[in-house]
Amino acid sequence: MSSTETTADSKGPILLAAPGFTAWLSEARISIALTTYQAGRIILLGLRPDGSLRAHERLIEQCQGLWTNGAEIWVSGKTMLWRFANAVPAGMMTQRGADRLFIPREGRVTGALDIHDIGHGMFGDMAAPGPIFVATQYNCLATISDRAAFRPLWRPPFVSTLVPEDRCHLNGLAMDNGVPVFVTAVSASDVQDGWRDRRQDGGVVVHVASGEIVARGLSMPHSPRLHEGRLWVLNSGTGELGVIDPRDGSFTPVAFVPGYARGLALIGRYAVIGLSRPRHNQTFEGLALEEALRTRDAVPRCGLVVVDIETGQTVQWLRFEHTIDELYDVALLPGVRQTEALGFQGDDLAGAIEPEVV
């Protein structure tokens, strides 16, 4: 039996965690933020003062992309891009023992861009650092605009024009020192919805600065991340975490995970990976992941796994037993024990008055 359970109704516990999960959070000195598209939530996982697990959530419709530096959170919804800012001074806590309280400070109406990964930094002719996100519907990287829904920054050379047709299913973004370096796409298609025909082996990794495809033959790749000089990618269609060598395009699997992998954050020797139960539709059926699970006599899970990237072994896990079936993104807040966020309605917002220090 797990050491942590969260019960909501007669279905039993929603959340189960491995016996050592809370100890690992404490030793790593992190809390975790994750998003779920299907259930429309941002979920903040941390530790109460007594060391038990606390899951705090806020509703955001079709919540996907997520970025945080510990002081701010940018997160995408169906038609909005939201910025939350921390209001707890260093060394202080809320009444419930949280050392971060994120308050919604900015909402941008983007329309249905299907925003996936989000970074933060500078690119192209941006006047100041800001959010850089994957506008999947338009096959491009983009940022916010004060005059329009978004401002396109870059698109892969194989996409011939800026149109709302989700041709290649651009989804993942790897940043380095505030600059976009690599992106992932399910295919290099240049026709509307063409990526759906290339789910098994059409996946690519693209170098942003040059526009060159540095890796091919992947299966629905997601969540590229640069960590300690290596490019990590989730090869979601096969259920593998692995490393891409941009020099020769090779993919070296490091670990198999029991679910549709999407959402990756790395700290030290550990990778925190989001898992989803694949939907039974044309998007997910027929992937190698199905056979890989069958040969291991396993069923797909929704939750998190913590993988030791030096050994490939899963060292901790957390599982949503029901209600939540799909996760999209995962982010870590180093040095943070417990996190809360205010919603968009209610009396708490009336007191969210924090004058700027000048």
Side-chain angles (χ1 to χ4, degrees), residues 19 95 146 158 204 245 260 271 330:
Q95 291 182 343
D146 291 333
F158 52 76
V204 296
D245 186 340
Y260 188 81
V330 176

Side-chain angles (χ1 to χ4, degrees), residues 1-292:
M1 192 67 173
S2 68
S3 62
T4 304
E5 300 182 359
T6 300
T7 303
D9 52 33
S10 59
K11 293 181 181 179
I14 293 177
L15 198 61
L16 300 178
F21 185 77
T22 53
W24 182 82
L25 282 181
S26 180
E27 291 167 6
R29 299 187 67 248
I30 61 170
S31 61
I32 301 174
L34 56 90
T35 58
T36 165
Y37 172 92
Q38 161 260 340
R41 289 168 167 85
I42 179 171
I43 300 173
L44 305 168
L45 300 171
L47 299 176
R48 295 186 179 93
D50 65 3
S52 62
L53 183 66
R54 183 186 181 202
H56 176 84
E57 66 178 34
R58 288 299 177 192
L59 300 179
I60 298 177
E61 186 180 14
Q62 293 186 14
C63 187
Q64 290 193 116
L66 174 65
W67 174 88
T68 182
N69 62 357
E72 290 187 327
I73 292 175
W74 284 91
V75 62
S76 71
K78 182 178 181 180
T79 59
M80 300 285 294
L81 184 65
W82 295 99
R83 181 177 66 87
F84 291 72
N86 174 50
V88 177
M92 303 293 287
M93 291 185 180
T94 68
Q95 291 182 343
R96 289 178 288 270
D99 45 357
R100 292 290 188 279
L101 174 61
F102 287 101
I103 297 175
R105 292 298 186 193
E106 183 176 1
R108 297 276 181 158
V109 179
T110 62
L113 295 182
D114 196 16
I115 294 174
H116 280 59
D117 281 11
I118 301 173
H120 194 278
M122 294 279 289
F123 186 72
D125 61 352
M126 290 176 63
I132 299 170
F133 53 84
V134 180
T136 300
Q137 184 66 13
Y138 276 82
N139 315 284
C140 72
L141 296 181
T143 190
I144 56 177
S145 170
D146 291 333
R147 298 178 298 169
F150 69 104
R151 182 154 70 93
L153 296 172
W154 175 92
R155 70 175 186 267
F158 52 76
V159 176
S160 58
T161 187
L162 186 74
V163 287
E165 294 183 351
D166 188 7
R167 296 181 173 188
C168 63
H169 205 67
L170 196 72
N171 56 49
L173 171 61
M175 302 282 290
D176 187 27
N177 293 318
V179 177
V181 183
F182 295 101
V183 295
T184 51
V186 173
S187 79
S189 301
D190 194 26
V191 296
Q192 185 172 16
D193 213 32
W195 64 272
R196 294 186 188 276
D197 301 319
R198 300 300 316 281
R199 296 172 302 115
Q200 286 85 357
D201 60 2
V204 296
V205 177
V206 185
H207 183 241
V208 173
S210 67
E212 294 181 3
I213 296 176
V214 299
R216 298 179 182 269
L218 301 171
S219 181
M220 298 191 75
H222 282 82
S223 311
R225 304 289 185 260
L226 286 163
H227 179 65
E228 297 181 349
R230 292 195 288 177
L231 175 58
W232 295 85
V233 172
L234 295 174
N235 201 26
S236 305
T238 63
E240 294 172 316
L241 165 70
V243 177
I244 294 285
D245 186 340
R247 297 169 298 182
D248 61 13
S250 62
F251 173 77
T252 303
V254 171
F256 174 80
V257 292
Y260 188 81
R262 207 167 37 184
L264 172 64
L266 296 111
I267 182 168
R269 64 184 290 170
Y270 299 107
V272 183
I273 303 168
L275 300 181
S276 299
R277 299 181 186 96
R279 283 170 262 158
H280 296 292
N281 61 20
Q282 188 178 3
T283 300
F284 293 93
E285 289 180 349
L287 299 175
L289 174 61
E290 286 186 321
E291 181 61 25

